[in-house]
Amino acid sequence: MIYFPYFRGRQFDLQALKALAQQDALPANLIPIIEPVRDTKALPQTVAAFVDHGHPLVVIANPTVSDYQLTQQKLHDWRPWQANPLLITGHVLGPTTTPADLQAPAGHRTLVIARQFDELMAAQAAGWLTPTQPTYLLAPPEARIRQQLDRPFVSLYDHAWFPDHEQTYANLEDGFFSDDWALADFYGYQGFSDYTIGGGHYSEHGYPSRAVTLHLTYFRGDQLRIHRFVSDDREDFKHPKEKFFQAVAKLAAWLPAQPAATQTPAAQQLAAYHAEQHFPGLGVVKRLSLAHHLQLMAAFMKARYPVD
């Protein structure tokens, strides 16, 4: 069983991944996917960290969001590491996909993402999909896909919830997040994949929020849940520092009562900002929230699906 957390390759995504690779904190069956969105030096630095520390990583060769794919001359290219078998080249199935994209050189693995049922069925009808190529095929866990595919695949699902304009995260501070591994075990999937706490939607510039919200995943039994710590002040877009202190105070009060598995190094660092009354910036907060999720899932994968 493999967990493929899917990242859009924002700066804080890459910082979290790079740090965990350098710490050798990820098991072999937790393989992140990066879809590049910006030509930034953090991308090749992250790829190098994974390769140097002997851990597999997927990079999408034909990203479908942002204008990264349209930039002909990359200042910070990840492709020099393509010859290393630890780097898995991924492709999003689409009109420009060719059979060669689904093939891997000897000793290498490939990964293909099929977001649309019709495109997936067309690839299968053309004979592009075999039991061994691509190595990993990611698709929505739909009954019609299970019925039509004649090979194992990895379920890809977006669990993130975003409130509409009339709501805030305060309307749903705690809720179910995922138990995809149970479905994967039941149907015999190769693994499971999701967009972590960031969600599958991508916005080039983001958007302002009236509240500061900290997102932490945690396990309750066999169920992965998410708790949201929301600032009390939600009247306007001002004072993010003060709103952060309101939210992190709730996290610092909640965390000590949780099981040891939930008290990851990243979560403890977030709680420490309350004691220190230090505002590290919302980018650091997002990085630590993602690092916590990966540290939590790394421990889960090691315990439930140990590998040599």
Side-chain angles (χ1 to χ4, degrees):
M1 185 67 63
I2 305 175
Y3 175 43
F4 292 94
Y6 197 120
F7 297 91
R8 294 298 192 187
R10 302 173 182 88
Q11 187 75 11
F12 52 83
D13 295 333
L14 299 173
Q15 289 173 348
L17 289 169
K18 177 184 173 184
L20 291 172
Q22 291 172 334
Q23 297 162 11
D24 295 316
L26 303 176
N29 56 350
L30 194 162
I31 306 177
I33 300 171
I34 298 175
E35 182 173 2
V37 293
R38 291 180 182 172
D39 186 11
T40 171
K41 64 181 180 181
L43 177 59
Q45 288 175 347
T46 302
V47 173
F50 272 79
V51 171
D52 291 346
H53 287 262
H55 194 89
L57 176 72
V58 180
V59 178
I60 302 301
N62 63 331
T64 58
V65 297
S66 82
D67 58 0
Y68 176 85
Q69 183 69 0
L70 302 177
T71 306
Q72 295 298 318
Q73 186 66 37
K74 303 292 193 299
L75 297 177
H76 308 286
D77 201 351
W78 59 271
R79 294 178 187 272
W81 287 269
Q82 236 177 338
N84 193 299
L86 287 169
L87 184 60
I88 304 170
T89 301
H91 286 85
V92 178
L93 196 62
T96 61
T97 306
T98 67
D101 295 333
L102 283 63
Q103 304 298 316
H108 288 64
R109 291 174 282 178
T110 54
L111 180 143
V112 170
I113 300 164
R115 297 197 179 106
Q116 303 298 326
F117 175 79
D118 291 343
E119 291 174 343
L120 179 60
M121 292 301 102
Q124 176 160 282
W128 292 4
L129 307 179
T130 73
T132 58
Q133 292 293 345
T135 316
Y136 307 111
L137 174 64
L138 274 63
E142 300 175 2
R144 59 179 180 171
I145 290 178
R146 290 195 298 269
Q147 293 166 358
Q148 295 296 325
L149 273 182
D150 53 10
R151 57 154 292 161
F153 68 98
V154 175
S155 65
L156 173 61
Y157 197 82
D158 186 359
H159 294 286
W161 172 73
F162 294 94
D164 60 31
H165 295 297
E166 301 302 318
Q167 294 181 312
T168 72
Y169 284 115
N171 298 117
L172 188 62
E173 291 186 345
D174 193 279
F176 171 81
F177 192 78
S178 173
D179 62 354
D180 288 347
W181 48 89
L183 191 69
D185 282 337
F186 183 81
Y187 286 111
Y189 294 158
Q190 287 176 296
F192 59 99
S193 177
D194 59 37
Y195 294 93
T196 74
I197 61 175
H201 174 74
Y202 176 76
S203 174
E204 187 69 25
H205 303 292
Y207 55 91
S209 175
R210 295 178 183 272
V212 168
T213 305
L214 311 182
H215 305 258
L216 280 192
T217 48
Y218 71 100
F219 278 97
R220 181 184 295 172
D222 231 10
Q223 184 184 90
L224 184 65
R225 300 181 64 82
I226 187 166
H227 198 93
R228 305 175 179 95
F229 307 90
V230 189
S231 62
D232 297 319
D233 183 359
R234 302 187 288 272
E235 295 300 319
D236 54 38
F237 301 103
K238 302 176 181 178
H239 311 300
K241 177 179 178 180
E242 289 74 11
K243 292 176 181 178
F244 167 75
F245 287 136
Q246 294 172 5
V248 79
K250 298 178 182 180
L251 183 153
W254 176 86
L255 189 62
Q258 303 309 307
T262 306
Q263 301 187 41
T264 64
Q268 291 176 345
Q269 179 60 64
L270 282 170
Y273 290 135
H274 168 65
E276 300 165 0
Q277 283 297 286
H278 173 61
F279 177 48
L282 295 180
V284 173
V285 171
K286 292 176 181 178
R287 171 174 61 81
L288 288 172
S289 297
L290 285 171
H292 163 79
H293 177 73
L294 290 172
Q295 289 167 352
L296 184 76
M297 290 303 296
F300 171 78
M301 293 298 292
K302 289 176 182 177
R304 187 176 180 115
Y305 304 104
V307 294
D308 295 334

